[in-house]
Amino acid sequence: MAAAAAAAAAGPVFWRRLLGLLPGRPGLVALLGRLSDRLGRNRDRRRRRSPWLLLAPLLSPAVPQVTSPPCCLCPEGVHRFQWIRNLVPEFGVSSSHVRVLSSPAEFFELMKGQIKVAKRRVVMASLYLGTGPLEQELVDCLESTLEKSLQAKFPSDLKVSILLDFTRGSRGRKNSRTMLLPLLQRFPEHVRVSLFHTPNLRGLLRLLIPERFNETIGLQHIKVYLFDNNVILSGANLSDSYFTNRQDRYVFLQDCAEIADFFTELVDAVGDVSLQLQGDDTVQVVDGMVHPYKGDRVAYCKAANKRVMDVIHSARTRQQMLHAQTFHGDSLLTQEEAAAAGDRRPAPDTWIYPLIQMKPFEIQIDEIVTETLLTEAERGTKVFLTTGYFNLTQAYMDLVLGTRAEYQILLASPEVNGFFGAKGVAGAIPAAYVHIERQFYSEVCSLGQQERVQLQEYWRRGWTFHAKGQFTGTWRPRLPS
């Protein structure tokens, strides 16, 4: 904590020294430079801005209009959020089909078990696949399941689709690509590996920025793992620490065919605008698709927007029709009648809205919904925010400080930040986040809002923290310096 306090006191001096250590590191220099500039602007504007914070809800985007009035047949709990179904598909499931996992080991074992019994499809989207023995165990599970599906008396048409980021998945000589090549070589008709390449990394910039630092330009960050009709929504990557001692959140949705279909289509859509890994470790674009960094950027982004939005619109239409049939049909069945008719699924009491954010493609649904929810938070509402990297946008900071809701914000302590103890410049990153955190907390205190906005830190010996939801461990108050 002494290092954190020193970083907070040093302010811009800390950043100038940090930037001075980076000759020949243009990507990281640009990233840290933007962060430094932003911190300076925030400090200079703090006093000028404060009186206007109470106007934040009035200046933020209005809640999207609900195109149809609420109905008495819909479960009461959906009314407050049903406007979101105008933007994305709405999925109603029974809470008996929702299970929250609590540990990385449980997440890893569940994935292996689900792969072993998959019959029709395995879809995995992640930033990257690691290269250690646990990751190899996961690949071996996929290989074994594919082999069994082909040798069965009645072979199943099992398909495996994996979506990763190109730059992160290509880092180093042994990487995500080399880990997956044996699957592509053995089962070329059954395995697809797509590598998303940001359209912002191109031309001279792509040639000059070195490996690892090129990942600061843009990434594929979807984390979803599905097996037939079972889905795990998570923030965890396919890497050993996420299977052992890196806390994340994991929600397991069992027997949810509509949700599994949607995420399969979404991953397929992003895969279609990505580079396709070949058995010889080369990559190719899908026939008819614009190349992400060699082709025209505007044309590529327009095509990608259409491909992804078509999936969202199609799923939204399907779910609206299902909603109408379920709650607005001429002859609504009771649960007993539905069971007698062969539908044994429990009535929905949980509603899921998958939010999508793909800024290069001008898809900002997550941003719209998050800002709207924060804007509409009234007195008496409790908002829980969790992040492993505290770096709120200015708009979000203004909303937190300008609304009347109570906020509990859970952060990673410096010791559980994934960069803590790292060599070189990366080792200073936890102190940088503490600097941002202390600056924000100072604003909270200057406005007399420390009772309404509370910051807490996650700490657990020997662990790191990456969650944005479910968490375990020790909380401790962040005290002012």
Side-chain angles (χ1 to χ4, degrees), residues 82-91 262 309 312-313 315-317 319-320 352-356 363 365-366 369:
Q82 70 171 7
W83 58 269
I84 303 176
R85 74 178 184 224
N86 290 324
L87 301 171
V88 295
E90 171 191 79
F91 298 98
F262 170 75
M309 290 306 298
I312 295 172
H313 291 322
R316 191 163 65 89
T317 301
Q319 292 308 117
Q320 286 175 342
I352 297 172
Y353 300 93
L355 306 180
I356 314 299
I363 300 173
I365 299 171
D366 180 81
V369 172

Side-chain angles (χ1 to χ4, degrees), residues 64-130:
Q65 294 295 311
V66 176
T67 55
S68 57
C71 66
C72 61
L73 296 171
C74 303
E76 184 178 352
V78 78
H79 290 181
R80 182 174 180 181
F81 303 109
Q82 70 171 7
W83 58 269
I84 303 176
R85 74 178 184 224
N86 290 324
L87 301 171
V88 295
E90 171 191 79
F91 298 98
V93 302
S94 168
S95 55
S96 63
H97 289 200
V98 181
R99 178 176 146 208
V100 177
L101 311 182
S102 61
S103 72
E106 188 179 8
F107 167 60
F108 182 52
E109 293 301 324
L110 178 63
M111 275 202 301
K112 288 193 298 179
Q114 289 291 305
I115 289 172
K116 289 175 182 177
V117 298
K119 303 297 182 190
R120 188 161 62 94
R121 60 185 172 189
V122 172
V123 179
M124 309 180 85
S126 179
L127 174 63
Y128 69 104
L129 171 71

